[in-house]
Amino acid sequence: MTETTEAAAVEESRTDTTPSRIHRAWFVAAVTFVTITGAAAFRSLPGLLIDPLHQEFGWSRGTIGAAVSVNLALYGVTAPFAAALMDRFGIRRVVAAALAVIALGSGATIWMTTAWQLLLCWGLLVGLGTGAMALAFAATVTNRWFTARRGLVSGILTAASASGQLVFLPLLSWMVQDHGWRPAAGTVALAAFAVIPFVWLLLRDHPADVGQRPYGALESVPRPEPVRGAARRTVTVLTSAVRTGTFWLLAGTFAICGASTNGLVQTHFVPAAHDHGMPITAAASLLAVIGVFDVVGTIASGWFTDRFEPRRLLAVYYALRGLSLLFLPMLLAPAVHPPMIFFIVFYGLDWVATVPPTLALCREQYGEDSAIVFGWVLASHQVGAALVAFLGGVARDTFGSYDVVWYAAGALCAAAALMALVIRRRPAGVPALA
């Protein structure tokens, strides 16, 4: 779609059947943003629990990291099936059920006494629930409700996860330090429950449900029939995608993305800073600041993705992230100082800026199946995160510090930058893989 055609489509979409000047797609995007923000509350907690659970129960950091690893892996593996389930049962039902499972798993941890219960509640239940709340949810909403501004919208919805971290991290760190970890777990459960009514009352599955066309579309799009055999379709799409080199490059780069963000910094930054004498609340506040700049960086990345070559954007993002991680071991100290603040700002801008260009490449290469393919790519992201969440804890137990993990992650990011440049563009006129 040319810029002139897109502008005309956007202008025409504003005069759709609704009397409001604001297209309904933006309200759906707003509800999706709030939903992901509420669900992201749980992701603020694991890094804060490592030391308290170690002290109360005597569990090793490797054991606690294993539960986080199961959570992260299921978060990724569930995502592509959730995208197919949304095609079968609708976005609203799947997301409401997922939020309920998140709340159940998080709330049940309050009464746990053994490590297997941590694996069951935080690993299995919360992992499965959050898999349906993964970025495949954002991809499905973006693909259904928007034709224009997809890069910007995907950036905004991706930033919702960081917003949840920003909102809840300071509160949860204060709870953990002053009142223990159980009130914090209960707060996460209540936050997930609180979002369910918004989803059920305000979220809609498709523009045709409210008599509108997608934002920026020239023609109305009929509501598709429910797609049966969600699991079979998910596996079929994967079988087709793995035959392409692009899939493996996208999966590989995104695995490194997960390893260097959720698996490493989100899980281990607070205990690593605490090892250097920094108070937990100070370290958690720094992690929350990352969330502030993540919002800015991700929305900007979405804007850039609408205008620049996504492969080059990915290469720049990964190269800068790797460089920043190589310097981090030299910056950790008992007090917050200007170089550390510079790292937090720099790293925050790059946290999940990789998502909009990765999603754009999935759309370019895989067409209507792009949300499911992105779900599988996201699964690789979480597998990478899960491995480093576990190995980071093992490395700390073995070497007495996290330094080797920071350096290894920096080297992996450099490899991801090179991989992004190798991804081929789909030639004009060649249909996307279906």
Side-chain angles (χ1 to χ4, degrees):
M1 182 180 290
T2 65
E3 290 187 7
T4 302
T5 304
E6 180 178 315
V10 171
E11 181 61 30
E12 186 172 352
S13 72
R14 290 173 178 163
T15 62
D16 225 336
T17 56
T18 177
S20 174
R21 296 292 295 174
I22 301 177
H23 194 282
R24 180 63 178 265
W26 294 108
F27 291 103
V28 172
V31 174
T32 304
F33 185 95
V34 172
T35 302
I36 296 176
T37 299
F42 91 95
R43 301 180 67 184
S44 304
L45 197 55
L48 303 178
L49 295 184
I50 292 178
D51 285 336
L53 293 179
H54 173 70
Q55 294 169 5
E56 178 171 340
F57 298 107
W59 301 336
S60 70
R61 291 176 176 83
T63 297
I64 300 167
V68 178
S69 179
V70 170
N71 177 294
L72 292 171
L74 286 175
Y75 174 87
V77 173
T78 305
F81 292 94
L85 286 172
M86 289 177 189
D87 289 340
R88 173 67 179 89
F89 297 105
I91 298 173
R92 183 170 59 168
R93 292 179 180 177
V94 172
V95 173
L99 284 166
V101 173
I102 292 170
L104 175 63
S106 179
T109 59
I110 295 173
W111 295 281
M112 69 181 178
T113 56
T114 60
W116 71 264
Q117 293 170 338
L118 177 66
L119 286 167
L120 173 64
C121 297
W122 206 265
L124 179 62
L125 291 178
V126 176
L128 288 174
T130 53
M133 297 297 303
L135 293 174
F137 170 38
T140 301
V141 170
T142 303
N143 289 347
R144 289 189 183 186
W145 281 89
F146 291 86
T147 298
R149 307 291 189 265
R150 280 179 168 175
L152 176 63
V153 174
S154 62
I156 292 173
L157 296 183
T158 301
S161 182
S163 299
Q165 176 175 291
L166 166 65
V167 170
F168 289 99
L169 251 181
L171 172 63
L172 295 177
S173 64
W174 169 76
M175 284 186 174
V176 170
Q177 178 167 288
D178 292 357
H179 302 284
W181 61 269
R182 287 180 176 83
T187 300
V188 169
L190 291 174
F193 265 126
V195 180
I196 294 176
F198 289 95
V199 170
W200 195 255
L201 296 174
L202 301 176
L203 194 62
R204 292 296 179 267
D205 294 330
H206 195 275
D209 292 346
V210 290
Q212 289 195 326
R213 69 190 67 167
Y215 180 82
L218 291 172
E219 299 178 353
S220 297
V221 177
R223 177 184 174 88
E225 293 294 324
V227 180
R228 300 185 182 276
R232 182 172 61 254
R233 182 189 174 208
T234 302
V235 175
T236 300
V237 170
L238 174 64
T239 302
S240 298
V242 295
R243 299 193 183 110
T244 65
T246 297
F247 174 83
W248 293 107
L249 289 170
L250 289 172
T253 55
F254 225 41
I256 293 172
C257 178
S260 57
T261 54
N262 301 76
L264 181 57
V265 174
Q266 184 167 299
T267 304
H268 294 292
F269 177 80
V270 172
H274 191 55
D275 283 347
H276 287 76
M278 184 179 294
I280 289 178
T281 51
S285 296
L286 289 176
L287 204 56
V289 173
I290 287 179
V292 175
F293 289 95
D294 178 24
V295 173
V296 177
T298 307
I299 294 175
S301 178
W303 188 86
F304 290 144
T305 301
D306 285 332
R307 290 160 176 79
F308 300 104
E309 172 56 52
R311 295 155 188 79
R312 295 179 182 177
L313 289 176
L314 284 178
V316 171
Y317 295 157
Y318 285 120
L320 293 177
R321 181 184 301 176
L323 185 64
S324 66
L325 288 173
L326 292 176
F327 281 97
L328 181 57
M330 296 178 281
L331 302 178
L332 292 170
V336 178
H337 49 86
M340 172 58 77
I341 295 176
F342 179 80
F343 166 83
I344 292 297
V345 173
F346 187 85
Y347 190 84
L349 291 171
D350 194 83
W351 178 270
V352 285
T354 55
V355 173
T358 300
L359 183 52
L361 289 172
C362 285
R363 278 197 299 266
E364 173 190 303
Q365 298 285 336
Y366 304 106
E368 294 182 356
D369 290 331
S370 61
I372 296 177
V373 173
F374 181 72
W376 284 114
V377 172
L378 179 63
S380 71
H381 180 283
Q382 295 308 115
V383 169
L387 285 173
V388 172
F390 171 67
L391 294 176
V394 172
R396 171 61 178 80
D397 290 334
T398 303
F399 301 109
S401 77
Y402 286 99
D403 287 0
V404 66
V405 187
W406 304 123
Y407 294 135
L412 285 174
C413 288
L418 295 176
M419 292 167 65
L421 293 175
V422 176
I423 298 173
R424 297 180 179 179
R425 294 191 67 173
R426 183 169 58 85
V430 177
L433 179 65

